[in-house]
Amino acid sequence: MSEVKNIMIVGVGGQGALLASKTLGQVLLDSGFDVKVSEVHGMSQRGGSVVTYVRYGKKVYSPIVDKGEADIILAFEMLEAARALPFLKKGGIMIANTQQIDPMPVITGAAKYPENIEETLKEKVNLVSLDAGKLALEAGNIKAVNVVLIGVMAKSTDIPYEKWVETIKATVPEKFLDVNLKAFD
């Protein structure tokens, strides 16, 4: 693989987006790629936007994904998916959790949460949307949303299933391993 692949992970603080980027970076590194991960987050501890860029290939020189360059956008929340849309390249894939988390302007009444985000995105891009929270609960823990989304995204990569499972086993504490493997599947 000579070209660089770009993945953008977006969400809201506390959803597990940063852990997802670390897991993704590790599986790519373990698969022999040069990997650059860049975390760009604001008020992540207070429910603010979290953005992580993951770039991989034979040789990667910069950790930043520019507008129109993301092969995959992994969105943990619908409004964050809409905000990230300009970064998706033509023909790219957006994987989005259907969860909606009100940002501060909506909470304070200064703005309204946009309607029909999922439908609008489906009209514009190749969108895979799912209720990752429901699937995480079925696996045994709502906090496994990040691993559910990683599992969906894994199908869009060249990384073998076994390599993903290996990395999850190496990075997840033993007491959470079964839940995370179920969530990944």
Side-chain angles (χ1 to χ4, degrees):
M1 172 181 163
S2 60
E3 77 176 86
V4 173
K5 295 287 187 180
N6 302 300
I7 300 173
M8 188 171 170
I9 301 174
V10 298
V12 172
Q15 288 188 293
L18 297 179
L19 181 60
S21 68
K22 289 177 182 167
T23 302
L24 175 58
Q26 189 62 54
V27 76
L28 293 167
L29 198 58
D30 291 348
S31 298
F33 294 106
D34 184 23
V35 181
K36 300 286 187 278
V37 177
S38 176
E39 297 169 2
V40 182
H41 48 93
M43 299 289 284
S44 60
Q45 292 180 342
R46 298 178 189 246
S49 293
V50 175
V51 177
T52 304
Y53 305 118
V54 179
R55 302 187 75 221
Y56 69 101
K58 186 174 180 181
K59 184 67 184 155
V60 180
Y61 294 99
S62 168
I64 304 299
V65 176
D66 288 325
K67 288 183 179 180
E69 289 186 349
D71 295 282
I72 299 172
I73 294 178
L74 188 62
F76 283 58
E77 193 273 340
M78 289 308 292
L79 185 55
E80 296 302 322
R83 287 180 181 157
L85 183 60
F87 288 86
L88 190 64
K89 76 180 198 180
K90 190 173 184 169
I93 299 168
M94 180 177 281
I95 300 163
N97 183 10
T98 55
Q99 181 178 13
Q100 296 182 0
I101 298 174
D102 290 344
M104 195 53 69
V106 172
I107 292 170
T108 62
K112 288 180 70 174
Y113 196 96
E115 295 181 14
N116 306 317
I117 294 174
E118 185 176 3
E119 293 79 11
T120 302
L121 289 173
K122 281 183 181 176
E123 291 172 6
K124 295 180 178 185
V125 299
N126 180 5
L127 177 70
V128 177
S129 58
L130 65 146
D131 184 344
K134 179 181 175 206
L135 294 172
L137 278 173
E138 288 173 8
N141 191 329
I142 188 67
K143 291 181 179 181
V145 164
N146 54 356
V147 182
V148 169
L149 290 169
I150 286 280
V152 174
M153 188 200 62
K155 294 174 184 170
S156 299
T157 69
D158 301 349
I159 310 298
Y161 172 84
E162 298 75 25
K163 186 62 80 176
W164 287 98
V165 170
E166 244 176 69
T167 301
I168 291 169
K169 286 180 177 179
T171 57
V172 172
E174 182 69 33
K175 65 182 178 179
F176 301 116
L177 188 56
D178 287 341
V179 167
N180 280 277
L181 289 174
K182 285 179 192 172
F184 179 78
D185 285 337

